[in-house]
């Protein structure tokens, strides 16, 4: 049985004070849930969030990292920095990073390997553009992304990776994929992982859906057999809305 995981991706939003208030506001509301709760925030917020989340089950995550541990990479953040402040997750290969910051399947793979090496759990994002969906090449696209991302990942680590299927056309558009369409692609992603490893690994990997998830559609999405969670942007920015997602 896979444990559901609801993760907020705050993108370039929120201040330290707002993040602390947010955590205080959701503390009570997440007590007793078996849903894993993760907040992925801008780097400068993470340490204070970790402190604010002490004594709760809230996990803290970053939204990116470099694939080298240290070196002359001005402006970058390494896995060691994330470890030092107690981050537990890191989003890797978000489509916004692929689109605006020249992230490639190769850099995604290197980051994934580095995060795993240091015990930070990657949330690996994959997904197709609208043109690719309309051309019928969704599965081809995600297959390539998944295969390249997992290259060199050992079977014992592969099961720990969280994958987020985020169709690019559904991100921030208010136009979510239907839950059955999302489930179809996610089931397919699981079959790719089975092909790369084994059914034992593929049954363990948690696969989220992301793209315009909100309190109104989360239950239907989470009811799908292969969908184990959600990676949420806009609807994760308000405590009340986020709580509705966690308590779907
Ligand atoms: P929205 O939930 O705002 O569509 O964003 C999805 C996303 O990109 C999460 O990583």
């Amino acid at each position: 049985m896979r444990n559901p995981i609801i993760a907020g991706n705050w993108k370039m939003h929120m201040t330290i004070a707002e993040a602390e208030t947010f955590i205080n506001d959701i503390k009570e509301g997440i007590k007793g849930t078996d849903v894993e709760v993760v907040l992925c925030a801008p780097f400068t917020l993470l340490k204070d969030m970790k402190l604010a989340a002490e004594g709760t089950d809230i996990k803290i995550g970053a939204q990116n990292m470099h694939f080298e541990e240290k070196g002359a990479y001005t402006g970058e953040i390494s896995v060691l920095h994330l470890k030092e402040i107690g981050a537990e997750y890191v989003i890797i290969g978000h489509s916004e990073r692929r689109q605006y910051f020249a992230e490639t399947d190769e850099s995604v793979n290197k980051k994934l390997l580095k995060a795993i090496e240091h015990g930070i759990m990657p949330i690996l994002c994959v997904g197709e553009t609208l043109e690719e969906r309309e051309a019928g090449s969704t599965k081809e696209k995600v297959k390539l992304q998944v295969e390249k991302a997992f290259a060199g990942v050992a079977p014992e680590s592969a099961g720990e990776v969280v994958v987020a299927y985020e169709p690019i056309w559904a991100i921030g558009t208010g136009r979510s994929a239907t839950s059955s369409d999302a489930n179809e692609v996610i089931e397919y992603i699981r079959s790719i992982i089975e092909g790369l490893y084994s059914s034992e690994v593929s049954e363990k990997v948690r696969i989220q859906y992301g793209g315009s998830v909100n309190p109104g559609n989360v239950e239907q999405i989470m009811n799908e057999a292969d969908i184990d969670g959600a990676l949420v942007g806009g609807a994760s920015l308000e405590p009340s809305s986020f709580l509705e997602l966690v308590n779907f």
Side-chain angles (χ1 to χ4, degrees):
M1 201 43 200
R2 294 180 296 268
N3 192 19
I5 173 167
I6 301 283
N9 173 11
W10 285 354
K11 307 193 178 181
M12 202 169 70
H13 295 287
M14 306 285 259
T15 64
I16 293 172
E18 286 167 350
E20 287 169 339
T21 305
F22 185 104
I23 289 172
N24 280 325
D25 287 352
I26 65 164
K27 262 183 191 167
E28 280 304 310
I30 61 160
K31 270 191 184 153
T33 179
D34 14 321
V35 172
E36 192 172 354
V37 177
V38 185
L39 296 173
C40 299
F43 293 124
T44 55
L45 279 58
L46 299 179
K47 188 176 177 190
D48 294 284
M49 288 174 68
K50 186 70 191 172
L51 292 172
E54 242 174 41
T56 75
D57 290 328
I58 300 166
K59 309 261 174 68
I60 304 301
Q63 299 171 7
N64 181 35
M65 56 171 252
H66 196 268
F67 50 76
E68 294 291 351
E69 288 172 15
K70 56 174 83 166
Y73 301 102
T74 303
E76 290 294 320
I77 295 283
S78 104
V79 69
L80 301 181
H81 296 122
L82 299 184
K83 253 196 108 114
E84 189 180 20
I85 52 103
E88 286 141 305
Y89 280 92
V90 59
I91 297 174
I92 292 191
H94 192 279
S95 61
E96 286 151 16
R97 296 217 54 87
R98 294 180 191 254
Q99 189 179 350
Y100 306 132
F101 303 99
E103 193 87 78
T104 63
D105 287 331
E106 288 67 35
S107 60
V108 165
N109 173 241
K110 287 185 191 172
K111 291 177 181 195
L112 199 76
L113 290 168
K114 189 52 78 179
I116 290 169
E117 184 187 331
H118 290 277
I120 304 246
M121 279 314 125
I123 299 178
L124 164 71
C125 299
V126 298
E128 81 285 4
T129 63
L130 186 58
E131 296 74 56
E132 288 162 340
R133 164 141 305 235
E134 284 172 349
S137 52
T138 297
K139 290 186 176 173
E140 202 180 309
K141 171 76 177 286
V142 298
K143 180 172 196 276
L144 214 63
Q145 287 181 319
V146 169
E147 285 177 348
K148 288 188 168 181
F150 275 91
V153 176
E156 56 275 20
S157 304
E160 305 295 326
V161 174
V162 176
V163 179
Y165 167 58
E166 298 206 309
I168 295 168
W169 49 270
I171 295 177
T173 58
R175 179 183 167 195
S176 166
T178 65
S179 59
S180 62
D181 280 354
N183 193 66
E184 187 186 334
V185 179
I186 287 175
E187 194 179 0
Y188 177 68
I189 292 172
R190 204 176 297 289
S191 76
I192 297 164
I193 295 170
E194 181 177 354
L196 292 174
Y197 297 97
S198 62
S199 60
E200 195 188 325
V201 170
S202 69
E203 285 305 314
K204 201 172 164 210
V205 167
R206 290 179 298 172
I207 311 181
Q208 300 172 306
Y209 166 74
S212 297
V213 176
N214 60 57
N217 62 17
V218 66
E219 187 180 356
Q220 197 178 5
I221 288 166
M222 292 303 293
N223 277 342
E224 294 287 347
D226 273 277
I227 304 183
D228 305 313
L231 182 58
V232 188
S236 75
L237 293 169
E238 287 296 331
S240 57
S241 158
F242 187 71
L243 277 179
E244 286 188 67
L245 300 174
V246 171
N247 297 315
F248 64 86

